[in-house]
Amino acid sequence: MKGRIASAHLLVTIAYNILKTGEPYHELGSNYLEEKQNNKELKMIEYLKKKGYSIAPSKQQTA
């Protein structure tokens, strides 16, 4: 039952935003969350550089 309610809420939210903005729905893509995480890391690195730290992004995968 919770899954049905969550799915219905998602559909209603999408429909509301389509009607509100007038823009068609577009899928965010399969790598959206990965890109969002990378952007978050880059922003944090820039913040730390402004504070005087010397940091470079790591290509190492974390769990």
Side-chain angles (χ1 to χ4, degrees):
M1 190 63 176
K2 283 186 179 184
R4 289 181 185 172
I5 299 296
S7 296
H9 181 264
L10 177 64
L11 290 173
V12 169
T13 303
I14 290 170
Y16 173 77
N17 286 321
I18 288 172
L19 294 172
K20 179 179 163 187
T21 63
E23 296 178 13
Y25 175 75
H26 66 282
E27 193 68 34
L28 294 175
S30 60
N31 60 350
Y32 170 75
L33 292 177
E34 183 179 321
E35 289 178 10
K36 187 175 179 182
Q37 179 66 26
N38 287 340
N39 288 340
K40 184 178 179 181
E41 290 173 359
L42 292 175
K43 286 180 182 178
M44 183 55 83
I45 289 169
E46 289 301 316
Y47 172 77
L48 291 172
K49 283 182 180 179
K50 287 179 184 177
K51 293 289 185 181
Y53 292 95
S54 174
I55 293 182
S58 170
K59 298 296 178 191
Q60 202 174 35
Q61 291 287 337
T62 58

